[in-house]
Amino acid sequence: AGSDEIRIALIGCGGRGTGAAMQAIKNAAGAKVKLVAMADAFKNRLELAHKSIQAQCPDQVDVPEERRFVGLNAYQKAIECDVDMVLLCSPPGFRPDQFEAAVEAGRHVFMEKPVATDAPGVRRVLATNEKAKQKQLLVAVGHHLRHEIKHRESIDRIRSGDIGDVMFMRAYFNSGGVWVMPRKQDQTEMEHQTRNWYYFTWAGGDHIVEQHVHDLDVCNWIMDGPPVEARGAGGRQFRKGPQYGEIFDHFSIEFTYANGAKMFSYCRHIPNCWNSFSQDAHGTKGKIHIEGHGTANIMVDGAKPVAIPRGPDGHQLEHDDLFAALLEGRPYNEGDYGASSTMTAILGRMAAYSGKIISYEDGLNSQVDLKPKAMTWDADTPVKPEDDGTYACAMPGVTNVL
Ligand SMILES: NC(=O)C1=CN([C@@H]2O[C@H](COP(=O)(O)OP(=O)(O)OC[C@H]3O[C@@H](n4cnc5c(N)ncnc54)[C@H](OP(=O)(O)O)[C@@H]3O)[C@@H](O)[C@H]2O)C=CC1
Ligand SMILES: O=C1CO[C@H](CO)[C@@H](O)[C@@H]1O
């Protein structure tokens, strides 16, 4: 390989992994990126991703059979290849193991959000992130909104005092829901839960963690850190049947920050309802409304409203920024805020599942470890189906989250 070539491995070859590999290859920083290794739990997912990336960028893909790894522990083999950087795009429950292995091996990391699904996982990510800093490894986390122009300008204006002191924020991720992978015959329980990962808390975190974390991260960015406490409610009204695993379909959480400011968070996965992916900040002198993937509107009291268009997609910008730092030899670490925003989402889930008021500190110190005891296809799973194939969900007032 030429000395200026950056060799990457893709771990987790689903929809997001395929996109992330393309965005890394097409980075605008001018880094010459080559995809040289791939790993996925399932061969069909890996082959599909390989075909798609190869078709779009044939000269920047060199993944022969011997560097295509399949299985739950395939990630280790991809990390061991001669690569500079790994893209960790598997379901979030696998992230702490994969991040630890990547940093141990001295690889730069791009990892998707959320970075874990439980508090022990967040603590492992925080500890590993410290090691990454000591080793001068770059760590990027897929909070693409942090890289979008309208978000950066909005937060700059809030910091400059344009809307005064922030009193409260509103965060929404309400949609009709996402894909489902109903059970197929001959699957072990572990294979089913890994394929249908969105619906199992150990694997996906529940939708407040997997999806709404984007909005919670923006509010933490505005407040320059995570909240100190959460209380709220949630449940499953629409999700009935074995294919929906154990997760909720709606959450409504009130977060409190150290200065007393509030964040009112709502996320829902129910079709035919009012939908929104947006964040709002209300200050003593005005307010800002940011459409997740649209325009930001700044309304300062007594002044003409200002609209800031979205600009380029943050999924590309986050790779442009990462590779620019790598080429310039600059430190680059998004791991701490990535971990605290994941923990914020887990805290909201804890408050709804338990029905209790939970402090950030207690949540972060929770000993409830959701991870399966072994990563094999015949492993015992953390949750098991009832006789009719459905899964029990959390029960406020009963479920222990600490
Ligand atoms: N920043 C953003 O905007 C977005 C972020 N994401 C994040 O990206 C991640 C992946 O989501 P998405 O691509 O949509 O999901 P997909 O299900 O499409 O892909 C996940 C991939 O990881 C594979 N996988 C499962 N277990 C392992 C393992 N142990 N080792 C290696 N691979 C494994 C999955 O296999 P299989 O599916 O066959 O089980 C699948 O190929 C999630 O964390 C999600 O939150 C996703 C979309 C957008
Ligand atoms: O923003 C997003 C859109 O929904 C996806 C779920 O399928 C999320 O993974 C993603 O982060």
Side-chain angles (χ1 to χ4, degrees), residues 16 92 112-114 142-145 173 175 177-179 197-198 207 209-215 269 277 293 315:
R16 184 76 280 269
E112 261 311 334
K113 46 45 66 182
H143 279 299
H144 63 287
L145 299 180
F173 212 134
S175 75
V178 303
W179 53 266
W197 62 266
Y198 209 96
H207 67 107
V209 178
E210 199 282 334
Q211 200 174 54
H212 190 40
V213 68
H214 285 302
D215 309 279
H269 272 186
F277 168 36
H293 287 161
H315 292 94

Side-chain angles (χ1 to χ4, degrees), residues 11-18 39-42 44-46 71-75 88-92 94-95 98 110 112-114 142-144 179 181 191 194-198 210-211 214 293 315 318 375 377:
I11 295 169
C13 306
R16 184 76 280 269
T18 305
D40 197 287
F42 301 104
N44 66 321
R45 300 298 301 250
L46 189 152
L72 283 172
N73 295 307
Y75 71 92
L88 304 182
C89 301
S90 298
F94 300 103
R95 203 95 67 229
Q98 297 183 353
F110 168 85
E112 261 311 334
K113 46 45 66 182
H143 279 299
H144 63 287
W179 53 266
M181 291 266 204
E191 177 175 354
T194 304
R195 291 245 187 221
N196 199 27
W197 62 266
Y198 209 96
E210 199 282 334
Q211 200 174 54
H214 285 302
H293 287 161
H315 292 94
E318 65 189 349
M375 287 295 179
W377 292 126

Side-chain angles (χ1 to χ4, degrees), residues 157-167 282-286 300:
R157 283 171 183 256
I158 293 173
R159 294 239 192 290
S160 313
D162 287 17
I163 63 163
D165 295 331
V166 174
M167 297 180 296
H282 296 254
T284 47
K285 293 197 313 195
V300 174

Side-chain angles (χ1 to χ4, degrees), residues 247-367:
I247 68 170
F248 281 7
D249 55 25
H250 60 281
F251 291 85
S252 139
I253 311 291
E254 174 187 323
F255 292 94
T256 306
Y257 288 83
N259 67 357
K262 299 280 184 184
M263 184 238 294
F264 302 108
S265 123
Y266 302 89
C267 58
R268 180 175 55 212
H269 272 186
I270 302 182
N272 304 316
C273 298
W274 164 75
N275 292 332
S276 178
F277 168 36
S278 64
Q279 309 92 36
D280 286 79
H282 296 254
T284 47
K285 293 197 313 195
K287 58 190 179 187
I288 290 194
H289 171 80
I290 315 175
E291 277 298 313
H293 287 161
T295 303
N297 286 289
I298 302 166
M299 290 150 281
V300 174
D301 295 347
K304 238 176 112 194
V306 176
I308 309 166
R310 180 182 182 192
D313 184 345
H315 292 94
Q316 183 59 59
L317 296 176
E318 65 189 349
H319 286 278
D320 298 348
D321 292 347
L322 170 63
F323 285 102
L326 187 61
L327 289 182
E328 290 162 24
R330 275 190 283 118
Y332 193 92
N333 191 295
E334 302 180 331
D336 288 330
Y337 75 69
S340 64
S341 289
T342 290
M343 189 59 228
T344 302
I346 293 172
L347 182 68
R349 185 189 75 207
M350 287 173 162
Y353 277 12
S354 67
K356 306 274 198 282
I357 299 174
I358 316 258
S359 71
Y360 187 90
E361 200 185 339
D362 287 350
L364 182 58
N365 289 319
S366 164
Q367 297 303 309

